[in-house]
Amino acid sequence: FLSKELALCTLMKFVELEARYPLIKAEWKGSLTFPRELLKVVVDGLLPLNEDASLLISRFQEYMEYDDIRYFVIKAVTESIGQVMQKTKERPLPFYQQNVFSLISPINMPNKESDMVKFIVKQDNWEELKVSKLQAHKQAFEKMWLSFLKHKLPTGLYKKVLVILHDCILPYMNEPTLMIDFLTVAYGIGGAISLLALNGLFILIHQHNLEYPDFYKKLYSLLDPSIYHVKYRARFFHLADLFLSSSHLPAYLVAAFIKRLSRLALTAPPEALLMVIPFICNLFRRHPACRVLVHRPHGPEGMSEDPYIMEEEEPSESRALQSSLWEIQSLQNHYHPDVAKAAAVLNQSLSEIEDDISGLLELSAYELFDKEVKKKAVDVPLEFEQVRGLFGKKNDIFAEHFTLD
């Protein structure tokens, strides 16, 4: 690694010197003289096909703070992706794609043109060149990510991209809606990847007026037992809360979400239940038409079993509105007293003010246990018999001969 690091630093010194003192005279007056070919060689060396180069790439990151270096690296990476990935016939290249991600994910894009002040070299006609324009940087950045994401990624890489997409990629694209194809594919994969794709879709739907057919049907299908256990639980419920906040949603749709969340709650851990019960109460506050579920605590009259169809993928066909919330009533007998107390709220009339669930989204089992340990009991009901004899039993022969002092 040390020899590679030394070679990298030496090559970048050559790039800097050649940028200041070009080896080839400019083709015409006013054209940019930058050692793009040499920099492309460096970038290609950072992106091997069959080994992990993350250590060397992390050493290279300091050079990416220069606006001109960053611009030409982005161009070189785009070119490299085109050359390498077209030969794979849609087959992922785990090492290469991970190396590309390691190189491009930490890129700090400027927010405005006045932020672009750090260049290795400035030429006389700098203001006229593309490398000094924020718009050109955004176009190159957008093209690079689109070329990277149009190819099939390893599963782990999908998650890494989706985690940073809404913060580090979409805000710096000229046309964020171009990401719809990638997000649609990711949203259809299922599991944690679908949950993570929600963030990007939320931005496109709410900020860029994207229309996504059957969005709520797909969101409904994401509700499975894992949602209460995955580490992205907080993010999912935060976004689900936003998506279900509209008062224009039909009652059957909201009722289907309430019913499915309640059914899945039967096998959820206490820390998830303390979050989802107030979440369900908020849905009732926003959509009063769904309160018929609460008013049937023992199930629909004249029906021996729950009419709700858990396996139905279409919310409108699930018959949730004809059902009841017997699941929440069951949770009123939960072994954890805080869960039982939270579930009992539905026995009373709900206040108009919504519960703030932001502090409950990331509640962990450790925090719950720590809170219980620190509790001080005021009244502890006890029923016991005073110990007699050595073994504490009534009519024990030892009690006749031994006493406890």
Side-chain angles (χ1 to χ4, degrees):
F1 173 73
L2 289 174
S3 58
K4 287 182 179 179
E5 183 184 17
L6 188 60
L8 173 65
C9 296
T10 306
L11 282 168
M12 289 310 295
K13 189 65 179 175
F14 286 157
V15 169
E16 181 182 350
L17 290 170
E18 195 174 331
R20 294 181 188 280
Y21 312 105
L23 299 175
I24 303 170
K25 202 171 181 180
E27 294 180 16
W28 64 85
K29 191 177 179 182
S31 66
L32 177 66
T33 53
F34 191 91
R36 278 174 277 192
E37 292 302 320
L38 179 56
L39 188 59
K40 175 74 166 63
V41 171
V42 173
V43 170
D44 288 342
L46 290 170
L47 304 174
L49 301 185
N50 300 311
E51 62 177 298
D52 181 8
S54 54
L55 272 177
L56 201 58
I57 289 168
S58 64
R59 179 66 180 83
F60 181 75
Q61 289 304 328
E62 67 178 75
Y63 299 104
M64 297 287 274
E65 295 302 314
Y66 291 100
D67 294 299
D68 47 355
I69 293 286
R70 184 180 59 244
Y71 177 74
F72 289 114
V73 166
I74 287 172
K75 291 273 194 182
V77 170
T78 308
E79 194 178 330
S80 171
I81 294 168
Q83 291 169 346
V84 173
M85 295 308 294
Q86 68 178 3
K87 300 172 185 174
T88 66
K89 297 179 181 176
E90 295 302 315
R91 211 168 24 87
L93 286 175
F95 281 113
Y96 174 75
Q97 287 171 301
Q98 180 58 55
N99 288 333
V100 171
F101 182 76
S102 299
L103 180 57
I104 67 179
S105 57
I107 289 178
N108 288 317
M109 285 289 286
N111 290 306
K112 47 187 184 294
E113 211 131 334
S114 58
D115 291 341
M116 296 170 56
V117 292
K118 195 175 180 183
F119 296 91
I120 272 194
V121 60
K122 282 191 178 182
Q123 299 184 10
D124 298 335
N125 59 329
W126 194 250
E127 289 75 14
E128 302 168 20
L129 299 172
K130 273 189 174 183
V131 74
S132 68
K133 305 291 182 188
L134 179 59
Q135 184 78 356
H137 282 248
K138 281 189 168 185
Q139 284 173 349
F141 181 80
E142 179 179 274
K143 188 177 178 182
M144 174 189 67
W145 274 108
L146 290 172
S147 64
F148 178 62
L149 297 177
K150 77 177 181 180
H151 300 286
K152 189 176 180 181
L153 300 176
T155 304
L157 210 47
Y158 266 112
K159 293 179 184 177
K160 290 179 182 178
V161 171
L162 290 166
V163 164
I164 66 167
L165 185 74
H166 64 292
D167 277 338
C168 305
I169 302 174
L170 290 179
Y172 304 106
M173 294 180 69
N174 284 326
E175 293 184 53
T177 48
L178 293 172
M179 277 289 181
I180 184 58
D181 288 341
F182 169 72
L183 286 168
T184 304
V185 169
Y187 197 40
I189 289 174
I193 293 176
S194 292
L195 299 186
L196 290 171
L198 277 175
N199 248 351
L201 284 171
F202 172 74
I203 291 171
L204 295 186
I205 289 169
H206 280 257
Q207 296 179 15
H208 301 280
N209 301 318
L210 172 76
E211 288 188 12
Y212 191 102
D214 293 332
F215 175 79
Y216 284 98
K217 178 182 173 182
K218 180 63 184 173
L219 184 65
Y220 181 71
S221 72
L222 293 182
L223 300 181
D224 61 33
S226 69
I227 58 163
Y228 291 128
H229 302 274
V230 291
K231 64 178 178 179
Y232 309 113
R233 185 187 74 203
R235 182 182 296 205
F236 172 74
F237 277 97
H238 169 68
L239 291 168
D241 190 42
L242 291 171
F243 286 127
L244 295 171
S245 61
S246 172
S247 57
H248 299 295
L249 294 175
Y252 75 80
L253 179 68
V254 180
F257 275 89
I258 290 172
K259 186 64 182 171
R260 194 160 181 133
L261 287 169
S262 301
R263 181 66 61 84
L264 295 172
L266 293 173
T267 56
E271 64 271 17
L273 291 173
L274 290 175
M275 174 272 300
V276 81
I277 292 171
F279 182 90
I280 289 170
C281 290
N282 285 348
L283 292 179
F284 282 125
R285 290 183 177 101
R286 294 171 196 166
H287 307 275
C290 295
R291 292 189 184 182
V292 291
L293 296 176
V294 180
H295 300 319
R296 299 191 196 113
H298 304 291
E301 290 181 17
M303 292 190 184
S304 57
E305 49 185 54
D306 193 341
Y308 173 67
I309 307 168
M310 182 73 174
E311 298 75 25
E312 178 57 57
E313 294 180 1
E314 186 63 60
S316 60
E317 304 294 328
S318 66
R319 301 186 65 197
L321 265 180
Q322 286 82 52
S323 185
S324 68
L325 278 194
W326 60 266
E327 296 93 345
I328 302 298
Q329 191 181 36
S330 300
L331 292 176
Q332 292 172 8
N333 299 312
H334 197 273
Y335 70 85
H336 196 292
D338 286 352
V339 173
K341 185 179 175 183
V345 170
L346 283 173
N347 291 341
Q348 308 153 15
S349 58
L350 292 173
S351 63
E352 294 299 318
I353 301 170
E354 288 191 10
D355 294 323
D356 181 14
I357 64 166
S358 57
L360 302 170
L361 289 174
E362 298 194 42
L363 187 65
S364 67
Y366 174 79
E367 290 171 322
L368 210 57
F369 182 78
D370 195 49
K371 180 184 170 187
E372 288 298 317
V373 168
K374 290 176 180 175
K375 268 186 183 177
K376 289 186 178 178
V378 181
D379 297 313
V380 182
L382 295 174
E383 185 179 344
F384 67 95
E385 292 181 5
Q386 191 170 354
V387 175
R388 282 183 71 253
L390 187 62
F391 295 107
K393 293 180 181 178
K394 276 185 178 181
N395 306 320
D396 191 351
I397 191 169
F398 288 100
E400 297 177 14
H401 306 286
F402 297 94
T403 57
L404 293 175
D405 293 327

